Amino acid sequence: HGIAEGLPDEPRSVAVQLTDRDVAVLHALARFRLARTSDLVAYAFAGVRRDTAAVRLRRLFDGRFLAVLPPEQGKENVYRLGPAGKAVLAEDGVVAGGVPRGGLEHHLAIVAAWIAVAGIEEFELERALPDWEIREQFRTTELHVVPDLFLLVHAHGHQHAVVVEVDRGTESLAILNRKVEAYRSLWGQAPGLFGYDRFGVALVCHAPSRRAPLAAALKKAWVVPHAIWLGSDNPSLALHKLFSDMNTPLGDTPYLKGVQS
């Protein structure tokens, strides 16, 4: 697959005529900051052969529109913007942010979850705020909790606010429990989270052995509609159920007054 896997050669100085898809990839990477080959293929090359997509990514790499992190043997390449890509975006008034510090695998799992939800055809992803943009745009001292990913999704005639938490199997369950408790305390109480006091919590589990303790953590915030799915699964089914729960009042409790049906 060329640059898709393995050790890339040095980029060559080649002339590249950018397509609309190429520009979309650059804009996406400005927000993702980092993305695997498979992430970019899923995002921008739907219906295109993987090897064809990889050849195009290689072309953008050779033109210095994309750059690649030092590759690891046996793993997909991880892309970031190259100098030519940043220059193109600057002409559009887009200033590409830096690569966030912290765990690379956790960051990439957030990007993968974002792309997976965006790719569900029957939903419209109206807004997405990942952890790194939240930290750049808000004073985190003013926030009770910083989600891995905050989404506004339009589905079946309703707008749904959803916080997504990603678990790679290495994160502390105590931290997750604290975040879930913060969501419980915010739910149903104005101003809620980013102005939304009715939101769902979705948890993406990448270690199947952790699914039971993660589900138990979510159940502690029983008042908050929630869903869980494995990172290898399509999130469509879990989100359909979550949105159905969010559209239906859970019961006659003081915490649930004003829930829209």
Side-chain angles (χ1 to χ4, degrees):
H1 297 311
I3 196 174
E5 271 81 33
L7 183 66
D9 301 323
E10 286 297 312
R12 301 185 293 270
S13 295
V14 299
V16 178
Q17 184 67 40
L18 293 179
T19 66
D20 289 344
R21 175 185 283 149
D22 296 335
V23 175
V25 168
L26 298 180
H27 278 272
L29 261 181
R31 298 200 63 200
F32 298 152
R33 310 295 170 87
L34 299 170
R36 294 186 179 97
T37 303
S38 57
D39 298 325
L40 294 180
V41 170
Y43 175 77
F45 294 90
V48 178
R49 284 169 51 106
R50 182 187 168 94
D51 55 351
T52 302
V55 167
R56 190 59 189 175
L57 293 176
R58 172 77 212 207
R59 184 84 174 163
L60 294 175
F61 171 76
D62 286 338
R64 299 183 183 273
F65 293 96
L66 302 180
V68 178
L69 295 189
E72 295 185 39
Q73 187 66 32
K75 291 190 176 182
E76 289 186 86
N77 284 325
V78 177
Y79 288 95
R80 58 183 174 83
L81 286 171
K86 292 178 182 178
V88 168
L89 293 177
E91 292 177 1
D92 289 341
V94 176
V95 178
V99 174
R101 297 178 180 178
L104 175 63
E105 292 300 321
H106 190 261
H107 177 95
L108 291 171
I110 296 172
V111 170
W114 182 352
I115 292 172
V117 176
I120 301 174
E121 290 187 1
E122 60 267 39
F123 298 161
E124 179 187 351
L125 183 56
E126 297 181 358
R127 192 178 186 196
L129 274 177
D131 166 283
W132 49 95
E133 289 186 354
I134 293 171
R135 295 181 186 279
E136 289 172 352
Q137 296 177 25
F138 297 87
R139 292 182 179 178
T140 53
T141 54
E142 298 175 354
L143 298 175
H144 289 84
V145 59
V146 178
D148 285 344
L149 184 63
F150 177 81
L151 303 176
L152 288 180
V153 182
H154 196 268
H156 313 303
H158 295 268
Q159 184 191 66
H160 302 285
V162 181
V163 295
V164 179
E165 294 292 337
V166 172
D167 183 83
R168 292 283 309 165
T170 56
E171 294 84 359
S172 164
L173 283 174
I175 292 176
L176 177 64
N177 275 298
R178 285 198 295 271
K179 294 184 84 169
V180 169
E181 174 58 27
Y183 294 137
R184 188 200 62 76
S185 68
L186 293 170
W187 199 90
Q189 309 292 324
L193 188 64
F194 305 119
Y196 294 87
D197 63 354
R198 297 290 190 272
F199 55 86
V201 176
L203 205 154
V204 188
C205 172
H206 286 265
S209 62
R210 295 257 285 196
R211 182 162 187 157
L214 293 174
L218 287 177
K219 286 179 181 178
K220 291 179 181 177
W222 63 270
V223 72
V224 185
H226 53 267
I228 185 170
W229 68 83
L230 294 177
S232 57
D233 291 344
N234 186 311
S236 177
L237 188 63
L239 287 175
H240 273 294
K241 184 179 184 308
L242 175 63
F243 296 156
S244 177
D245 291 344
M246 293 174 71
N247 289 336
T248 305
L250 299 180
D252 187 15
T253 93
Y255 296 104
L256 298 172
K257 290 182 178 178
V259 174
Q260 295 181 348
S261 59

